[in-house]
Amino acid sequence: MRVLLTAWAWPSHLYALVPMAWAMRAAGHEVLLASQPAAADWVTATGLPGASVGTDVAAADLVRQYVLPSAADPDGSLGGAKRTGAGPRAMEMFLAHAESMTGGLIELADRWRPDLVVYEPTALAGPICAAAAGVPAVRHLYGTDLMLRARGILPSALAPLARRHGVAEFDPFGEYTIDPVPASLQLPADYRRFPVRYVPFNSPGPRPAPPPRGSRPTVCVSWGHTMAKLHPRLFLAGWIAGVLRELDVRVVLACSSAQLELLGPLPDDVSLYVDAPLEGLLDDCDLLVSHGGAGSILTALSKGVPMLLLPQLPDHAAHAGRVLATGAGEVLARDEATEEAVAAQVTRLLSDPAFRTAALALREEMRAQPTPANVVAELERTALVSAP
């Protein structure tokens, strides 16, 4: 079986496909991970066969439009734009990526002849390409399915693009959806859903060795891949580390090499890890303070670690809201996140065992889901049934 996987050039979206791709490869199938040229180095670093398709889109400029309003940004200099239209705020961005990728993805499929196309839910070139190639399309979620609210408008929004490539009928939601999110974080949906155990892949790199555990609780601070690309003032990891120095905690801070200069002066006792996968750091942590990205949230829950989340984008706020509803963490809006409020919430999260209990319950829920290897068998059956 040949499987073409695709995501647009954003690390958190692309990395979500990697564990399933490796499971298919381990089962003896051919896989090809396709994205825009800007993602070429990320694709290469996964160790998977890759291909560049289409043209790059100024993704950070588009994402910046969706920054949530804040009193800290009265003139809108950090981003944000007035909401217009229906569906997710980011629909303009998703359509721009689809426009940039669809032709190249179809050309790649014509040459490579996949039996299946697997795409992350906002890579809308994927289902059009699958329809053009006459093969099944399968969505692979990277977090709670926030595209559900756009389900009604996607076919008409994508129809002009599909027609230009000779596609009259297609389902933007594919034949079924692979879902790594535990049921407690899912939204109700009537589509065919295959659950899968979440396997973290936050970035390539050696597993870090955290410092020896002491008597103080350990708090990990991580701000993901997105916020630093939008504006330095939206990257709050260094500020959070400074707030935590006043508490009786040990601080572990994870960042990329590109984010180092944004941290500012750090307290001497902060343990800094650069370009280290988040998964390896959380094994010895009692709490994660983060921006609310889906990958960070699922990685923390896979370790049973509760969270304090400070979302600044609509999707981060929605993912954080699901965590709040389960009792596995707390959420502070940007304007609520004063030094006093952050310190108070961290203290509460570390002292009240209910948060850890809720996070551990979600961890067990995740572990009970089928492994990626089990889901490969479902993919094989899907490709077989659809074969001519």
mmCIF file of all heavy atoms in Angstrom, residues 200 202-212 220-222 250 252-255 271-285 299 303:
data_model
loop_
_atom_site.group_PDB
_atom_site.id
_atom_site.type_symbol
_atom_site.label_atom_id
_atom_site.label_comp_id
_atom_site.label_asym_id
_atom_site.label_seq_id
_atom_site.Cartn_x
_atom_site.Cartn_y
_atom_site.Cartn_z
ATOM 1 N N PRO A 200 3.316 11.087 21.235
ATOM 2 C CA PRO A 200 3.890 12.424 21.032
ATOM 3 C C PRO A 200 5.033 12.431 20.021
ATOM 4 O O PRO A 200 5.883 11.534 20.008
ATOM 5 C CB PRO A 200 4.424 12.793 22.426
ATOM 6 C CG PRO A 200 3.712 11.876 23.383
ATOM 7 C CD PRO A 200 3.471 10.614 22.626
ATOM 8 N N ASN A 202 6.971 15.909 19.184
ATOM 9 C CA ASN A 202 6.992 17.364 19.284
ATOM 10 C C ASN A 202 8.057 17.995 18.406
ATOM 11 O O ASN A 202 7.923 19.138 17.977
ATOM 12 C CB ASN A 202 7.231 17.789 20.730
ATOM 13 C CG ASN A 202 6.371 17.034 21.712
ATOM 14 O OD1 ASN A 202 6.887 16.303 22.538
ATOM 15 N ND2 ASN A 202 5.056 17.171 21.620
ATOM 16 N N SER A 203 9.116 17.253 18.174
ATOM 17 C CA SER A 203 10.205 17.690 17.309
ATOM 18 C C SER A 203 11.243 16.579 17.322
ATOM 19 O O SER A 203 11.291 15.777 18.262
ATOM 20 C CB SER A 203 10.850 19.000 17.814
ATOM 21 O OG SER A 203 11.481 18.794 19.067
ATOM 22 N N PRO A 204 12.081 16.508 16.286
ATOM 23 C CA PRO A 204 13.180 15.548 16.337
ATOM 24 C C PRO A 204 14.238 16.009 17.330
ATOM 25 O O PRO A 204 14.337 17.196 17.641
ATOM 26 C CB PRO A 204 13.721 15.550 14.910
ATOM 27 C CG PRO A 204 13.367 16.903 14.385
ATOM 28 C CD PRO A 204 12.067 17.280 15.043
ATOM 29 N N GLY A 205 15.003 15.090 17.834
ATOM 30 C CA GLY A 205 16.076 15.454 18.753
ATOM 31 C C GLY A 205 16.262 14.404 19.818
ATOM 32 O O GLY A 205 15.375 13.575 20.054
ATOM 33 N N PRO A 206 17.423 14.415 20.460
ATOM 34 C CA PRO A 206 17.692 13.419 21.507
ATOM 35 C C PRO A 206 16.799 13.642 22.717
ATOM 36 O O PRO A 206 16.399 14.773 23.024
ATOM 37 C CB PRO A 206 19.168 13.655 21.848
ATOM 38 C CG PRO A 206 19.421 15.081 21.463
ATOM 39 C CD PRO A 206 18.550 15.345 20.273
ATOM 40 N N ARG A 207 16.484 12.569 23.395
ATOM 41 C CA ARG A 207 15.665 12.670 24.602
ATOM 42 C C ARG A 207 16.471 13.379 25.684
ATOM 43 O O ARG A 207 17.582 12.967 26.017
ATOM 44 C CB ARG A 207 15.265 11.279 25.069
ATOM 45 C CG ARG A 207 14.297 11.272 26.247
ATOM 46 C CD ARG A 207 13.940 9.836 26.647
ATOM 47 N NE ARG A 207 13.001 9.810 27.742
ATOM 48 C CZ ARG A 207 11.690 9.905 27.609
ATOM 49 N NH1 ARG A 207 11.172 10.024 26.399
ATOM 50 N NH2 ARG A 207 10.890 9.859 28.651
ATOM 51 N N PRO A 208 15.933 14.447 26.268
ATOM 52 C CA PRO A 208 16.690 15.189 27.284
ATOM 53 C C PRO A 208 16.759 14.415 28.597
ATOM 54 O O PRO A 208 15.905 13.576 28.892
ATOM 55 C CB PRO A 208 15.874 16.473 27.450
ATOM 56 C CG PRO A 208 14.489 16.074 27.082
ATOM 57 C CD PRO A 208 14.629 15.044 25.992
ATOM 58 N N ALA A 209 17.783 14.716 29.370
ATOM 59 C CA ALA A 209 17.934 14.122 30.704
ATOM 60 C C ALA A 209 17.692 15.223 31.728
ATOM 61 O O ALA A 209 18.577 16.045 31.981
ATOM 62 C CB ALA A 209 19.335 13.536 30.870
ATOM 63 N N PRO A 210 16.483 15.280 32.300
ATOM 64 C CA PRO A 210 16.204 16.336 33.279
ATOM 65 C C PRO A 210 17.118 16.226 34.489
ATOM 66 O O PRO A 210 17.633 15.136 34.802
ATOM 67 C CB PRO A 210 14.735 16.073 33.669
ATOM 68 C CG PRO A 210 14.182 15.252 32.556
ATOM 69 C CD PRO A 210 15.329 14.424 32.070
ATOM 70 N N PRO A 211 17.360 17.334 35.191
ATOM 71 C CA PRO A 211 18.202 17.291 36.390
ATOM 72 C C PRO A 211 17.563 16.397 37.446
ATOM 73 O O PRO A 211 16.358 16.150 37.425
ATOM 74 C CB PRO A 211 18.235 18.756 36.848
ATOM 75 C CG PRO A 211 17.043 19.397 36.221
ATOM 76 C CD PRO A 211 16.837 18.686 34.940
ATOM 77 N N PRO A 212 18.360 15.897 38.384
ATOM 78 C CA PRO A 212 17.822 14.999 39.421
ATOM 79 C C PRO A 212 16.653 15.642 40.157
ATOM 80 O O PRO A 212 16.653 16.832 40.465
ATOM 81 C CB PRO A 212 19.022 14.792 40.344
ATOM 82 C CG PRO A 212 20.213 15.080 39.503
ATOM 83 C CD PRO A 212 19.796 16.132 38.536
ATOM 84 N N CYS A 220 7.214 22.749 34.309
ATOM 85 C CA CYS A 220 7.764 22.932 32.965
ATOM 86 C C CYS A 220 7.064 24.102 32.290
ATOM 87 O O CYS A 220 5.841 24.236 32.352
ATOM 88 C CB CYS A 220 7.575 21.663 32.141
ATOM 89 S SG CYS A 220 8.228 21.781 30.444
ATOM 90 N N VAL A 221 7.838 24.945 31.629
ATOM 91 C CA VAL A 221 7.309 26.081 30.863
ATOM 92 C C VAL A 221 7.676 25.861 29.399
ATOM 93 O O VAL A 221 8.845 25.651 29.069
ATOM 94 C CB VAL A 221 7.892 27.418 31.355
ATOM 95 C CG1 VAL A 221 7.329 28.578 30.530
ATOM 96 C CG2 VAL A 221 7.611 27.612 32.837
ATOM 97 N N SER A 222 6.682 25.881 28.534
ATOM 98 C CA SER A 222 6.917 25.723 27.094
ATOM 99 C C SER A 222 5.905 26.558 26.340
ATOM 100 O O SER A 222 4.718 26.564 26.698
ATOM 101 C CB SER A 222 6.794 24.246 26.693
ATOM 102 O OG SER A 222 6.854 24.101 25.291
ATOM 103 N N ARG A 250 10.872 24.118 41.244
ATOM 104 C CA ARG A 250 11.977 24.001 40.296
ATOM 105 C C ARG A 250 11.409 24.229 38.901
ATOM 106 O O ARG A 250 10.363 23.672 38.543
ATOM 107 C CB ARG A 250 12.597 22.607 40.383
ATOM 108 C CG ARG A 250 13.830 22.417 39.524
ATOM 109 C CD ARG A 250 14.399 21.025 39.677
ATOM 110 N NE ARG A 250 13.429 20.006 39.290
ATOM 111 C CZ ARG A 250 13.772 18.837 38.754
ATOM 112 N NH1 ARG A 250 15.045 18.537 38.579
ATOM 113 N NH2 ARG A 250 12.856 17.949 38.433
ATOM 114 N N VAL A 252 11.689 24.102 34.775
ATOM 115 C CA VAL A 252 12.292 23.539 33.567
ATOM 116 C C VAL A 252 11.697 24.301 32.392
ATOM 117 O O VAL A 252 10.470 24.365 32.249
ATOM 118 C CB VAL A 252 11.976 22.035 33.454
ATOM 119 C CG1 VAL A 252 12.407 21.507 32.094
ATOM 120 C CG2 VAL A 252 12.657 21.260 34.568
ATOM 121 N N LEU A 253 12.522 24.908 31.567
ATOM 122 C CA LEU A 253 12.034 25.723 30.450
ATOM 123 C C LEU A 253 12.501 25.103 29.140
ATOM 124 O O LEU A 253 13.695 24.868 28.942
ATOM 125 C CB LEU A 253 12.531 27.160 30.581
ATOM 126 C CG LEU A 253 11.836 28.209 29.700
ATOM 127 C CD1 LEU A 253 11.957 29.595 30.311
ATOM 128 C CD2 LEU A 253 12.409 28.232 28.281
ATOM 129 N N ALA A 254 11.541 24.846 28.254
ATOM 130 C CA ALA A 254 11.844 24.280 26.939
ATOM 131 C C ALA A 254 11.608 25.327 25.868
ATOM 132 O O ALA A 254 10.559 25.988 25.846
ATOM 133 C CB ALA A 254 10.959 23.064 26.669
ATOM 134 N N CYS A 255 12.576 25.494 24.979
ATOM 135 C CA CYS A 255 12.411 26.433 23.867
ATOM 136 C C CYS A 255 13.218 25.948 22.683
ATOM 137 O O CYS A 255 14.024 25.015 22.788
ATOM 138 C CB CYS A 255 12.842 27.843 24.272
ATOM 139 S SG CYS A 255 14.625 28.071 24.382
ATOM 140 N N SER A 271 16.290 25.475 34.699
ATOM 141 C CA SER A 271 16.941 24.480 33.841
ATOM 142 C C SER A 271 16.437 24.678 32.420
ATOM 143 O O SER A 271 15.261 24.455 32.135
ATOM 144 C CB SER A 271 16.613 23.065 34.326
ATOM 145 O OG SER A 271 17.095 22.855 35.640
ATOM 146 N N LEU A 272 17.319 25.122 31.530
ATOM 147 C CA LEU A 272 16.943 25.468 30.163
ATOM 148 C C LEU A 272 17.278 24.320 29.222
ATOM 149 O O LEU A 272 18.403 23.801 29.221
ATOM 150 C CB LEU A 272 17.694 26.734 29.735
ATOM 151 C CG LEU A 272 17.433 27.239 28.310
ATOM 152 C CD1 LEU A 272 15.976 27.631 28.128
ATOM 153 C CD2 LEU A 272 18.355 28.417 27.994
ATOM 154 N N TYR A 273 16.289 23.919 28.418
ATOM 155 C CA TYR A 273 16.486 22.868 27.426
ATOM 156 C C TYR A 273 16.127 23.435 26.056
ATOM 157 O O TYR A 273 15.023 23.928 25.843
ATOM 158 C CB TYR A 273 15.602 21.656 27.743
ATOM 159 C CG TYR A 273 16.069 20.909 28.965
ATOM 160 C CD1 TYR A 273 15.690 21.332 30.236
ATOM 161 C CD2 TYR A 273 16.914 19.821 28.849
ATOM 162 C CE1 TYR A 273 16.137 20.663 31.364
ATOM 163 C CE2 TYR A 273 17.367 19.142 29.962
ATOM 164 C CZ TYR A 273 16.973 19.572 31.220
ATOM 165 O OH TYR A 273 17.423 18.907 32.327
ATOM 166 N N VAL A 274 17.087 23.364 25.133
ATOM 167 C CA VAL A 274 16.929 23.963 23.813
ATOM 168 C C VAL A 274 16.778 22.857 22.769
ATOM 169 O O VAL A 274 17.582 21.917 22.721
ATOM 170 C CB VAL A 274 18.136 24.857 23.471
ATOM 171 C CG1 VAL A 274 17.954 25.502 22.088
ATOM 172 C CG2 VAL A 274 18.310 25.936 24.537
ATOM 173 N N ASP A 275 15.735 22.982 21.947
ATOM 174 C CA ASP A 275 15.455 22.012 20.883
ATOM 175 C C ASP A 275 15.306 20.592 21.433
ATOM 176 O O ASP A 275 15.706 19.613 20.790
ATOM 177 C CB ASP A 275 16.543 22.046 19.810
ATOM 178 C CG ASP A 275 16.588 23.372 19.071
ATOM 179 O OD1 ASP A 275 15.521 23.990 18.906
ATOM 180 O OD2 ASP A 275 17.690 23.794 18.667
ATOM 181 N N ALA A 276 14.735 20.473 22.603
ATOM 182 C CA ALA A 276 14.509 19.168 23.220
ATOM 183 C C ALA A 276 13.033 18.805 23.109
ATOM 184 O O ALA A 276 12.164 19.648 23.388
ATOM 185 C CB ALA A 276 14.919 19.199 24.689
ATOM 186 N N PRO A 277 12.700 17.596 22.684
ATOM 187 C CA PRO A 277 11.290 17.198 22.623
ATOM 188 C C PRO A 277 10.616 17.331 23.988
ATOM 189 O O PRO A 277 11.148 16.890 25.008
ATOM 190 C CB PRO A 277 11.354 15.736 22.173
ATOM 191 C CG PRO A 277 12.669 15.613 21.458
ATOM 192 C CD PRO A 277 13.601 16.529 22.193
ATOM 193 N N LEU A 278 9.444 17.937 23.993
ATOM 194 C CA LEU A 278 8.715 18.178 25.235
ATOM 195 C C LEU A 278 8.392 16.876 25.960
ATOM 196 O O LEU A 278 8.392 16.823 27.193
ATOM 197 C CB LEU A 278 7.432 18.946 24.929
ATOM 198 C CG LEU A 278 6.550 19.355 26.107
ATOM 199 C CD1 LEU A 278 7.291 20.309 27.032
ATOM 200 C CD2 LEU A 278 5.260 20.005 25.593
ATOM 201 N N GLU A 279 8.126 15.836 25.203
ATOM 202 C CA GLU A 279 7.739 14.551 25.794
ATOM 203 C C GLU A 279 8.740 14.087 26.849
ATOM 204 O O GLU A 279 8.370 13.642 27.934
ATOM 205 C CB GLU A 279 7.637 13.502 24.683
ATOM 206 C CG GLU A 279 7.389 12.097 25.186
ATOM 207 C CD GLU A 279 7.680 11.047 24.128
ATOM 208 O OE1 GLU A 279 8.181 11.403 23.048
ATOM 209 O OE2 GLU A 279 7.409 9.869 24.404
ATOM 210 N N GLY A 280 10.037 14.189 26.536
ATOM 211 C CA GLY A 280 11.055 13.697 27.457
ATOM 212 C C GLY A 280 11.172 14.517 28.726
ATOM 213 O O GLY A 280 11.584 14.008 29.767
ATOM 214 N N LEU A 281 10.807 15.800 28.663
ATOM 215 C CA LEU A 281 10.912 16.660 29.838
ATOM 216 C C LEU A 281 9.788 16.424 30.839
ATOM 217 O O LEU A 281 9.970 16.580 32.043
ATOM 218 C CB LEU A 281 10.905 18.124 29.413
ATOM 219 C CG LEU A 281 12.131 18.632 28.654
ATOM 220 C CD1 LEU A 281 11.898 20.057 28.183
ATOM 221 C CD2 LEU A 281 13.369 18.561 29.534
ATOM 222 N N LEU A 282 8.611 16.057 30.350
ATOM 223 C CA LEU A 282 7.438 16.012 31.211
ATOM 224 C C LEU A 282 7.382 14.791 32.115
ATOM 225 O O LEU A 282 6.578 14.749 33.050
ATOM 226 C CB LEU A 282 6.165 16.081 30.354
ATOM 227 C CG LEU A 282 5.916 17.433 29.693
ATOM 228 C CD1 LEU A 282 4.672 17.374 28.820
ATOM 229 C CD2 LEU A 282 5.773 18.540 30.732
ATOM 230 N N ASP A 283 8.213 13.802 31.858
ATOM 231 C CA ASP A 283 8.207 12.610 32.707
ATOM 232 C C ASP A 283 8.441 12.946 34.172
ATOM 233 O O ASP A 283 7.928 12.264 35.062
ATOM 234 C CB ASP A 283 9.279 11.615 32.235
ATOM 235 C CG ASP A 283 8.809 10.789 31.050
ATOM 236 O OD1 ASP A 283 7.590 10.550 30.952
ATOM 237 O OD2 ASP A 283 9.648 10.414 30.220
ATOM 238 N N ASP A 284 9.224 13.976 34.434
ATOM 239 C CA ASP A 284 9.592 14.329 35.800
ATOM 240 C C ASP A 284 8.983 15.650 36.245
ATOM 241 O O ASP A 284 9.504 16.296 37.161
ATOM 242 C CB ASP A 284 11.121 14.387 35.931
ATOM 243 C CG ASP A 284 11.758 13.020 35.724
ATOM 244 O OD1 ASP A 284 11.390 12.091 36.453
ATOM 245 O OD2 ASP A 284 12.607 12.886 34.824
ATOM 246 N N CYS A 285 7.887 16.047 35.611
ATOM 247 C CA CYS A 285 7.270 17.336 35.939
ATOM 248 C C CYS A 285 5.910 17.149 36.609
ATOM 249 O O CYS A 285 5.203 16.173 36.370
ATOM 250 C CB CYS A 285 7.112 18.192 34.676
ATOM 251 S SG CYS A 285 8.697 18.761 34.000
ATOM 252 N N THR A 299 0.429 16.030 24.729
ATOM 253 C CA THR A 299 1.669 15.466 25.270
ATOM 254 C C THR A 299 1.636 15.475 26.788
ATOM 255 O O THR A 299 1.996 14.488 27.439
ATOM 256 C CB THR A 299 2.885 16.255 24.755
ATOM 257 O OG1 THR A 299 2.925 16.172 23.327
ATOM 258 C CG2 THR A 299 4.186 15.693 25.313
ATOM 259 N N LYS A 303 1.234 12.085 29.697
ATOM 260 C CA LYS A 303 2.088 11.861 30.864
ATOM 261 C C LYS A 303 1.331 12.054 32.174
ATOM 262 O O LYS A 303 1.931 11.922 33.254
ATOM 263 C CB LYS A 303 3.274 12.839 30.826
ATOM 264 C CG LYS A 303 4.120 12.743 29.576
ATOM 265 C CD LYS A 303 4.851 11.415 29.481
ATOM 266 C CE LYS A 303 5.756 11.375 28.263
ATOM 267 N NZ LYS A 303 6.504 10.098 28.179
#
